[in-house]
Amino acid sequence: MKIDRPVRSERATPPVDEPGKDKQTKADKTRARLIQVAKRLIQEDGSDRVTLRRIAAGAKMEAGSIYYHFDSRDEIIRAVLESGVGDARKAVMQAIDEAGPASSPLDRLRAALRAHLAYTLQEHFSSRLKAIRRLPKRLRDHHMKQEREYAAIFADLLAEAHKKGLLRSGFNLSVVRMLTMGALTWVAEWYSPDGPLSPDDVADELMRLLAGGLIKPGAGPMK
């Protein structure tokens, strides 16, 4: 059954707030509620089973009314992904700030990785990553730009550590960064809060691997 798409009016556009005032309109609150419902549905069932009707039902509103806030289901999925990256960025930057500018870039990297893992476990963010490839190219490209900006936080910390002579030479830092973040993002698929390790323990274990390497020099087949 086709969902009628209402025509947006001038009144549907949120008013511009006066400088210095932090106001949230009714439309802002409704949009946030839709994003929250869609996020929960993605976490529970995966993005493929998320429909406009299910989102509307979860938000307790008519399905057609969603079009006042989003142009399509894919727009909502993108908003979920973007809110996730935005919130992860805030958590990571806060952890880096708390480590302090005078700290070693490796200490700040540890803090950033801990924050990344904590957010991933809290939000089960890995489940949303599976939705990215299913977005239309226009929306996927827009989201991937935000992902690259987030990844640059970790890339910059590795680059700073390398510049200060804290890293071994010969490694591709882009690959190291992607392997590191990918490993931590995927922890949500196997981690149990009832297990012996805390999220910080897991992040620290990865830092130990990065710091010393797992295989002793000369013990493996690699030259």
Side-chain angles (χ1 to χ4, degrees):
M1 183 181 296
K2 182 179 178 181
I3 300 174
D4 293 333
R5 182 191 298 262
V7 178
R8 293 187 180 183
S9 66
E10 293 293 332
R11 289 177 295 179
T13 303
V16 178
D17 290 339
E18 297 178 14
K21 292 187 177 181
D22 185 15
K23 296 181 179 179
Q24 191 177 42
T25 66
K26 182 179 179 181
D28 293 333
K29 293 177 181 178
T30 301
R31 181 182 174 90
R33 187 166 79 253
L34 289 169
I35 292 174
Q36 189 64 29
V37 169
K39 180 178 77 170
R40 175 176 57 79
L41 292 175
I42 291 173
Q43 290 172 339
E44 292 175 354
D45 303 320
S47 61
D48 288 347
R49 298 183 62 185
V50 177
T51 65
L52 285 177
R53 291 192 181 280
R54 291 191 66 196
I55 295 172
K60 294 180 172 55
M61 61 187 296
E62 294 293 330
S65 299
I66 290 179
Y67 290 113
Y68 285 110
H69 309 279
F70 294 97
D71 289 333
S72 66
R73 168 193 172 278
D74 287 334
E75 287 280 3
I76 300 178
I77 300 298
R78 189 193 76 176
V80 170
L81 294 169
E82 289 186 347
S83 69
V85 176
D87 290 343
R89 180 186 180 88
K90 290 178 185 177
V92 167
M93 293 306 297
Q94 180 179 343
I96 292 174
D97 289 343
E98 290 174 355
S103 62
S104 162
L106 293 180
D107 288 335
R108 280 176 273 137
L109 177 62
R110 180 195 299 273
L113 293 177
R114 281 181 166 190
H116 175 77
L117 177 57
Y119 182 83
T120 298
L121 292 175
Q122 175 186 325
E123 299 293 327
H124 201 32
F125 195 58
S126 60
S127 65
R128 280 181 259 171
L129 297 180
K130 301 170 187 176
I132 296 174
R133 295 185 182 88
R134 297 180 176 87
L135 288 174
K137 186 177 185 304
R138 174 180 61 85
L139 301 183
R140 184 172 66 249
D141 289 349
H142 183 87
H143 173 73
M144 292 309 296
K145 179 178 182 294
Q146 189 187 26
E147 284 275 4
R148 287 191 294 271
E149 292 170 351
Y150 176 60
I153 299 172
F154 300 86
D156 290 346
L157 289 171
L158 285 169
E160 184 182 352
H162 177 70
K163 185 177 180 180
K164 291 187 175 182
L166 302 177
L167 304 182
R168 296 178 183 177
S169 60
F171 285 93
N172 184 315
L173 295 186
S174 292
V175 174
V176 171
R177 189 255 311 160
M178 287 186 284
L179 288 173
T180 299
M181 295 182 67
L184 288 185
T185 299
W186 205 252
V187 169
E189 299 295 328
W190 56 262
Y191 179 77
S192 170
D194 298 325
L197 298 178
S198 70
D200 283 352
D201 290 334
V202 175
D204 289 349
E205 194 73 8
L206 179 57
M207 279 297 295
R208 281 192 286 273
L209 283 172
L210 294 175
L214 181 62
I215 300 175
K216 292 181 180 179
M222 299 181 66
K223 302 296 184 181

